[in-house]
Amino acid sequence: MTELVYWLDMAGVIVFALSGVILACRSQMDPFGMLVLAAVTGIGGGTLRDLVLGVRPVFWVADPTYLWVILATVGLSVVGFHYIHRLSRVFLPVADAFGLALFTVIGAHKALQLEAPGVVAVLMGLLTGVAGGMMRDLLARRVPMVLRQEVYATASIAGGITYVVLFALEAPWVLTISLALSMTLGLRLAAIHWHLSLPVFAWVEIAPPAPAEGDAGRGDTTSPSVRTKARVRMIRQKRGRSGPGDRHDEE
């Protein structure tokens, strides 16, 4: 199982590094900018995870192969720049979804191997999955995916819970990894395809009720405090297909 987890981790680094390269190309960065975004996305989440768990040294210091993989990914991307530039805009969120699923499982697995509680393992899976992408988006001056209304962190949490529960039940490790990956990836891809989103809370102004016909000439007799309470309320609503972050993607 250790070897499989290692290769899954390496695959996650490649996919996330590629997503960083794609975003760097769309942001018109030079090769060094591509390398920075690729490295931050590929190893940023895992670095924070190891620091929180007290793992010394962090994984890419103990095994520099991760750095060489990132360099190779960026190098091949520079050579094939024209092909990457032609990729559809849906490719970035899809690649990010695969990286999210892989890193969620890796983060939860590593925490459990260090005998961390289940809730900590779920949080470490979430941190590993979303932190690198958050840093990538912030460096590219985009609203991070995890902060948008789309189903993103929820998918990671669901995958982490699936892994922790099956691990506690001592399910076969192939089944545990497969179901956890499928849970995270399935939810995220479904959110991308059908534009699923979580409800959001927004402050809106609601006009006070119009006075009755008999009160038309009497003026407004409603006290200021009553008018204030009647005009500001919190509502629960669902966003449409696009939000501020989605419009930013189209720039």
Side-chain angles (χ1 to χ4, degrees):
M1 180 178 180
T2 302
E3 185 176 356
L4 175 62
V5 171
Y6 177 80
W7 288 112
L8 287 176
D9 195 15
M10 199 65 69
V13 170
I14 294 173
V15 173
F16 258 173
L18 182 59
S19 73
V21 169
I22 295 171
L23 184 55
C25 291
R26 292 180 182 169
S27 301
Q28 300 180 356
M29 295 184 181
D30 59 16
F32 181 75
M34 295 170 62
L35 178 60
V36 170
L37 285 195
V40 164
T41 313
I43 62 178
T47 301
L48 291 179
R49 174 203 63 213
D50 284 2
L51 292 176
V52 172
L53 292 175
V55 177
R56 298 291 189 279
V58 296
F59 69 102
W60 54 268
V61 175
D63 184 5
T65 304
Y66 290 95
L67 301 180
W68 290 111
V69 167
I70 293 173
L71 285 172
T73 302
V74 174
L76 292 175
S77 299
V78 171
V79 174
F81 169 77
H82 294 289
Y83 296 99
I84 292 179
H85 194 68
R86 295 175 184 174
L87 293 173
S88 65
R89 292 192 176 274
V90 76
F91 185 84
L92 176 59
V94 170
D96 187 88
F98 276 91
L100 177 68
L102 290 168
F103 275 4
T104 295
V105 171
I106 296 301
H109 171 80
K110 190 162 190 177
L112 291 175
Q113 292 300 307
L114 295 174
E115 300 182 352
V119 64
V120 175
V122 173
L123 290 177
M124 289 302 101
L126 176 63
L127 179 63
T128 309
V130 307
M134 286 184 66
M135 290 186 282
R136 171 201 65 202
D137 292 343
L138 289 174
L139 288 174
R141 296 189 297 178
R142 298 171 76 243
V143 178
M145 291 185 181
V146 69
L147 298 182
R148 305 178 195 176
Q149 77 277 9
E150 294 181 357
V151 175
Y152 191 86
T154 308
S156 177
I157 293 172
I161 292 175
T162 301
Y163 187 89
V164 169
V165 170
L166 292 176
F167 184 89
L169 296 175
E170 298 183 353
W173 57 270
V174 175
L175 178 65
T176 301
I177 293 177
S178 299
L179 289 181
L181 286 174
S182 300
M183 176 65 73
T184 304
L185 185 60
L187 287 176
R188 182 64 189 130
L189 292 181
I192 294 172
H193 182 73
W194 286 295
H195 305 278
L196 303 178
S197 61
L198 297 176
V200 297
F201 292 87
W203 290 101
V204 297
E205 292 187 359
I206 302 176
E213 294 183 2
D215 301 331
R218 302 177 187 175
D220 188 3
T221 58
T222 307
S223 66
S225 60
V226 173
R227 284 200 301 271
T228 301
K229 292 179 181 178
R231 296 181 58 157
V232 182
R233 299 216 183 138
M234 179 174 275
I235 65 171
R236 188 171 182 267
Q237 63 180 7
K238 287 189 177 182
R239 297 295 297 270
R241 286 196 168 197
S242 62
D246 300 319
R247 289 195 297 271
H248 191 86
D249 289 344
E250 298 300 323
E251 293 180 359

